[in-house]
């Protein structure tokens, strides 16, 4: 489907994955770590999009970015129909929100310039997946440190929708500060305490896939809440 100006549409989606120490610490019960579950889910998600609606596979552009004490573009912005495989996520150590928001601004500005040459580019969507509070060195990373970088990201043109998806020890106020709004509702979701990390992450992957498909088909941002999580008010 093309826009009124005759150019093909492009819907950028960024899956931003926390790969810090708490995500990959071995579990006493021998079950897969959140890191292992997330790694598998990301690959399955791209395959599901590629195998589904051809219109979605062509219009959606998906990037995977991991962060801990450093930020890595695991998969540059790519259409699912062009994604041969998703490189493996690499485990990291600490959880640096300042670094990831600063780098996302650079990545998304560059991607927008590139896409705009060929496509009618729609507002990007950032799925920010984390299991813990920002922590660097020996200290909790205060919102005064990372908040301005997050605000620069939220104020890009066109302004992205930032969906905060948290579980584990991340606080609700942190998720609310990360997220933006859509039609008056904050795009922040917290995993229920009784729901295991694996169930939450599978729910996130399905919600991301459904959101991407619905957004492309309806020509506007449609963001689904994951099962096993509650939307914060």
């Amino acid at each position: 489907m093309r826009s009124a100006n005759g150019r093909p549409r492009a819907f950028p989606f960024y899956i931003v994955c926390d790969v810090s120490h708490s995500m990959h610490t071995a579990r006493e019960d021998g079950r897969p770590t959140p890191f292992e579950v997330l790694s598998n889910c990301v690959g399955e998600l791209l395959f599901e999009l590629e195998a589904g609606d051809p219109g979605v596979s062509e219009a959606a552009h998906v990037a995977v970015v991991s962060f801990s004490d450093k930020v890595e573009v695991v998969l540059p912005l790519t259409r699912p129909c062009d994604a041969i495989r998703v490189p493996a996520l690499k485990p990291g150590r600490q959880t640096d929100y300042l670094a990831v928001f600063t780098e996302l601004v650079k990545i998304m500005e560059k991607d927008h310039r590139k896409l705009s040459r060929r496509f009618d580019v729609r507002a990007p969507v950032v799925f920010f997946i984390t299991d813990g509070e920002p922590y660097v060195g020996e200290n909790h990373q205060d919102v005064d440190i990372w908040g301005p970088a997050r605000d620069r990201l939220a104020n890009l043109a066109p302004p992205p929708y930032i969906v905060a998806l948290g579980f584990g020890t991340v606080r609700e106020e942190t998720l609310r500060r990360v997220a933006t709004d859509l039609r008056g509702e904050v795009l922040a979701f917290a995993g229920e305490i009784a729901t295991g990390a694996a169930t939450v992450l599978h729910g996130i992957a399905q919600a991301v896939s459904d959101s991407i498909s619905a957004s492309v088909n309806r020509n506007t941002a449609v963001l689904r809440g994951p099962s096993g999580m509650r939307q914060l008010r």
Side-chain angles (χ1 to χ4, degrees):
M1 183 184 296
R2 291 178 179 267
S3 301
N5 61 15
R7 305 178 85 194
R9 301 172 304 156
F11 294 78
F13 297 92
Y14 295 82
I15 303 171
V16 181
C17 305
D18 181 350
V19 294
S20 60
H21 185 263
S22 57
M23 287 285 287
H24 55 82
T25 302
R27 293 168 51 106
E28 292 181 0
D29 58 12
R31 292 181 180 179
T33 64
F35 174 83
E36 291 168 329
V37 175
L38 181 59
S39 298
N40 291 332
C41 284
V42 168
E44 291 168 2
L45 188 154
L46 266 292
F47 176 78
E48 181 177 317
L49 290 171
E50 191 278 329
D53 183 340
V56 172
S57 185
E58 290 182 8
H61 291 66
V62 182
V64 180
V65 178
S66 67
F67 76 97
S68 53
D69 41 338
K70 56 185 177 181
V71 181
E72 180 181 2
V73 179
V74 179
L75 180 74
L77 205 62
T78 307
R79 297 187 303 176
C81 60
D82 296 330
I84 299 172
R85 68 180 184 90
V86 181
L89 299 177
K90 298 175 184 176
R93 292 178 294 177
Q94 297 191 306
T95 312
D96 190 340
Y97 277 25
L98 172 60
V100 69
F101 288 128
T102 300
E103 199 61 30
L104 280 172
V105 169
K106 299 175 186 175
I107 292 166
M108 292 171 64
E109 285 181 330
K110 181 179 177 182
D111 286 346
H112 183 76
R113 287 194 298 270
K114 183 177 179 181
L115 281 180
S116 296
R117 296 178 194 138
R118 292 183 51 207
F119 298 95
D120 179 11
V121 185
R122 304 308 168 90
V125 178
V126 177
F127 297 101
F128 188 87
I129 305 168
T130 185
D131 80 328
E133 285 290 294
Y135 206 88
V136 175
E138 300 295 323
N139 302 301
H140 179 271
Q141 191 180 57
D142 192 78
V143 68
D144 291 342
I145 295 173
W146 59 265
R150 176 268 178 205
D151 294 342
R152 285 193 292 276
L153 176 65
N155 289 313
L156 290 178
Y161 296 102
I162 306 174
V163 187
L165 300 155
F167 59 100
T169 61
V170 64
R171 297 194 299 232
E172 291 186 5
E173 57 262 39
T174 300
L175 295 174
R176 288 192 189 93
R177 183 66 179 85
V178 168
T180 59
D181 293 349
L182 174 62
R183 293 184 273 276
E185 293 193 350
V186 63
L187 296 171
F189 298 85
E192 299 287 6
I193 298 297
T195 307
T199 302
V200 168
L201 285 164
H202 282 295
I204 287 174
Q206 189 60 55
V208 171
S209 178
D210 291 346
S211 298
I212 291 173
S213 296
S215 297
V216 173
N217 284 322
R218 297 190 188 181
N219 210 28
T220 188
V222 180
L223 302 171
R224 311 288 194 198
S227 60
M229 304 189 84
R230 57 190 170 83
Q231 188 167 13
L232 304 181
R233 303 297 176 190

